[in-house]
Amino acid sequence: MTTPGPEPTTSARRGLALLGEAACRYRVDGIRPEDLPMIAAEALAAGLDTPTLCELAGLPRNSASGDVHDAFAQALAECGLPLPDPVTARRHALRRLAAGLVDGTVDPGEAAGEEWWEAQTGTAEERAFVALMPQCTCCLAYTVGTDLRTWTAELRAAARALTAAVPATPGC
């Protein structure tokens, strides 16, 4: 039986969280490949240290995107983090959107423009949140009519329920 290694330091946990978040955002096109070397440098500054993470941090912004992708995937693997599949990454993006609605950094109208209505969901909280999303911002008027205040309250309530629920999948 193997014993687990020592618990990562608080700064290393921040680095792992940073990389996990970047992995999810990268998979849903929220981060461009040319931004990954700086994210790797931030993870190094947070206390992570792997050979490929150092290599990635040293790549110039104009590196071939395939090389950057490969280095990022390898750096994640060295840190024990998977590169999530697109569906999982999109579900985590949905959770980040809900968190932004709850803390007020995302406007409900912004949430309507992301084609969330077609997102694959896996929990009742995700389904309830997505069910409130119109197909596009122009459909918002048709979906909620003149009762924007009620829709906003329902959307924020669904967002609170989603952020309070335990994530169905680990990761970002």
Side-chain angles (χ1 to χ4, degrees):
M1 174 158 84
T2 61
T3 58
E7 185 68 24
T9 65
T10 301
S11 61
R13 278 193 294 259
R14 280 195 307 270
L16 287 170
L18 174 77
L19 282 181
E21 171 78 15
C24 283
R25 290 182 54 218
Y26 176 70
R27 288 299 280 192
V28 294
D29 299 325
I31 294 178
R32 299 174 309 198
E34 59 265 24
D35 295 330
L36 292 175
M38 182 56 74
I39 291 168
E42 291 171 8
L44 286 168
L48 293 181
D49 188 10
T50 71
T52 309
L53 193 60
C54 292
E55 177 186 325
L56 177 59
L59 290 176
R61 287 183 60 83
N62 63 353
S63 294
S65 61
D67 293 343
V68 173
H69 171 82
D70 292 346
F72 185 57
Q74 180 62 35
L76 288 171
E78 289 173 0
C79 292
L81 298 171
L83 186 59
D85 64 88
V87 171
T88 300
R90 184 87 167 145
R91 288 177 67 196
H92 284 287
L94 185 68
R95 183 174 280 276
R96 285 191 305 278
L97 173 66
L101 285 165
V102 169
D103 69 21
T105 58
V106 173
D107 180 75
E110 291 175 49
E114 289 276 335
E115 297 183 359
W116 290 108
W117 58 275
E118 64 183 5
Q120 292 183 14
T121 59
T123 67
E125 293 85 4
E126 290 172 351
R127 283 187 291 281
F129 186 63
V130 167
L132 292 167
M133 298 290 184
Q135 292 187 8
C136 61
T137 53
C138 61
C139 294
L140 185 58
Y142 298 113
T143 304
V144 301
T146 58
D147 199 3
L148 187 61
R149 181 177 289 164
T150 300
W151 173 76
T152 299
E154 290 173 350
L155 186 65
R156 288 190 194 278
R160 280 190 298 279
L162 178 55
T163 58
V166 175
T169 57
C172 54

